[in-house]
Amino acid sequence: MPDRPMSASQFPSTSGEEPPNLSMSVWPTGQRDLATQLRDADCVRGTDTDIDLIPPAIAAQAIATYSLPGDLVLDPDCGAGVVLVKALQAGRHALGLTTSSGWWTLARANITATKAAGAWRDGSVLDAYPTLLATIRAAGLVGRVGLVLTALRTPADDPGEHAVGPDRDPTVAIDELAATLAYCEPLLRSGGHLVVVARPRRNADGSLVDLTTPLIAAGTSAGLAPVDRCIALIAGLRGSRLVTRASLADRRAVARARANGAPVALPAHHEVLVFQLAHDAELAAAAAEGRWPTKHKTATRSAVNGVDYLGWRRAA
């Protein structure tokens, strides 16, 4: 693993190139509004102030689909800790990292409340940057994480006031995420998954920002292979109709955008991109086609602090 992971911007798509043809699925995860989801998950007061949180229904769907009971679920930028709560409630172990004292307090409170309610698996949150995962102190996690589940987060200096209106350029956030994914890749066990959830971002003219292409580039630059793309609804389904469940802040942002001449719609979904270790994805594709890879070799990743862990040796 390189000491300085390359950013997604260093892996631009060829002009006109389409993202990989991934299987697409739609998750009906918006049948209840966010406030109800947080209440039913017994999240503590203040959790809803995390504007980039993964809604509990989406976190639960990802955990149920891409991990097994007893797995370790890691969120390297956990915010208020919703992923940790849903992991514990689903019978998984949970580990989160954050450098915000406010988020640490909320995440810790959420873990405590969840365990007090009967979730007996191990859960913890560390006051640390994701770079901790690339040090010798994280050696015990190498090859043991069943699921990395995290959100594309707004940079710390972005107040995030416009949940629906124009957003700042997400390039910085994507580059930071690309580095984090590189730190997480050696930690995945064979058969594990890495899932990134991103709320919609908009350009100044109200059009949606293409997050799929740079996020796939970020995962690929970390040595991962994209395997699924999902649309996780935050709007309810009523027959063939979508019923928006936007917050008051979202509705006000839409009103401001329209008053400024940018007719935008209320958000109805989050983007979910799923990755696996490149070798696991290759084997899965070979099995689906009824063949077996004919060439095998061992690739050794760069050591951290002069130590080369066996968990970093991947067949390719």
Side-chain angles (χ1 to χ4, degrees):
M1 183 175 59
D3 291 334
R4 292 186 178 181
M6 301 180 76
S7 72
S9 60
Q10 293 174 273
F11 294 85
S13 299
T14 304
S15 178
E17 180 182 353
E18 293 294 327
N21 185 22
L22 304 177
S23 59
M24 175 78 77
S25 60
V26 177
W27 294 353
T29 46
Q31 295 301 91
R32 294 174 298 160
D33 62 79
L34 180 59
T36 301
Q37 291 183 39
L38 293 173
R39 184 182 67 244
D40 291 349
D42 293 325
C43 290
V44 300
R45 184 186 300 273
T47 302
D48 60 340
T49 60
D50 183 359
I51 64 169
D52 289 316
L53 65 79
I54 300 176
I58 297 177
Q61 179 76 32
I63 290 166
T65 304
Y66 297 108
S67 70
L68 299 171
D71 269 348
L72 172 59
V73 176
L74 168 66
D75 187 345
D77 194 358
C78 68
V82 171
V83 167
L84 311 182
V85 168
K86 299 310 295 183
L88 291 171
Q89 291 175 345
R92 278 70 165 168
H93 303 290
L95 173 62
L97 278 69
T98 180
T99 56
S100 165
S101 59
W103 292 150
W104 186 92
T105 300
L106 280 171
R108 188 63 197 166
N110 273 319
I111 289 175
T112 300
T114 303
K115 294 177 74 66
W120 60 271
R121 298 286 186 176
D122 184 39
S124 58
V125 56
L126 305 179
D127 179 6
Y129 287 96
T131 51
L132 174 71
L133 302 174
T135 69
I136 191 68
R137 288 181 290 173
L141 294 177
V142 172
R144 294 186 55 194
V145 176
L147 173 65
V148 177
L149 175 57
T150 196
L152 176 64
R153 290 194 162 271
T154 304
D157 62 345
D158 189 336
E161 294 178 351
H162 304 293
V164 178
D167 291 275
R168 293 188 181 180
D169 186 349
T171 301
V172 173
I174 291 173
D175 284 349
E176 290 179 354
L177 180 63
T180 298
L181 300 189
Y183 300 138
C184 292
E185 188 269 354
L187 310 184
L188 284 175
R189 64 164 173 79
S190 180
H193 293 83
L194 187 149
V195 178
V196 177
V197 179
R199 65 174 176 81
R201 265 75 166 176
R202 291 188 179 275
N203 296 307
D205 62 359
S207 62
L208 286 172
V209 176
D210 173 22
L211 296 175
T212 303
T213 302
L215 286 178
I216 288 177
T220 302
S221 72
L224 300 161
V227 293
D228 283 320
R229 179 188 177 192
C230 308
I231 298 300
L233 296 179
I234 56 174
L237 281 173
R238 297 280 179 83
S240 59
R241 295 175 56 247
L242 285 178
V243 180
T244 58
R245 302 192 183 282
S247 66
L248 179 60
D250 286 340
R251 295 180 185 278
R252 286 176 174 171
V254 164
R256 287 196 298 269
R258 290 178 174 173
N260 292 330
V264 301
L266 290 166
H269 76 281
H270 282 31
E271 182 89 3
V272 181
L273 292 171
V274 184
F275 300 86
Q276 277 190 300
L277 296 171
H279 182 55
D280 286 345
E282 179 187 358
L283 291 178
E289 297 174 7
R291 60 179 176 84
W292 190 258
T294 56
K295 295 182 180 179
H296 300 275
K297 63 181 180 180
T298 300
T300 304
R301 297 188 177 277
S302 302
V304 171
N305 293 335
V307 179
D308 178 28
Y309 298 109
L310 294 178
W312 295 358
R313 296 179 179 273
R314 308 292 190 199

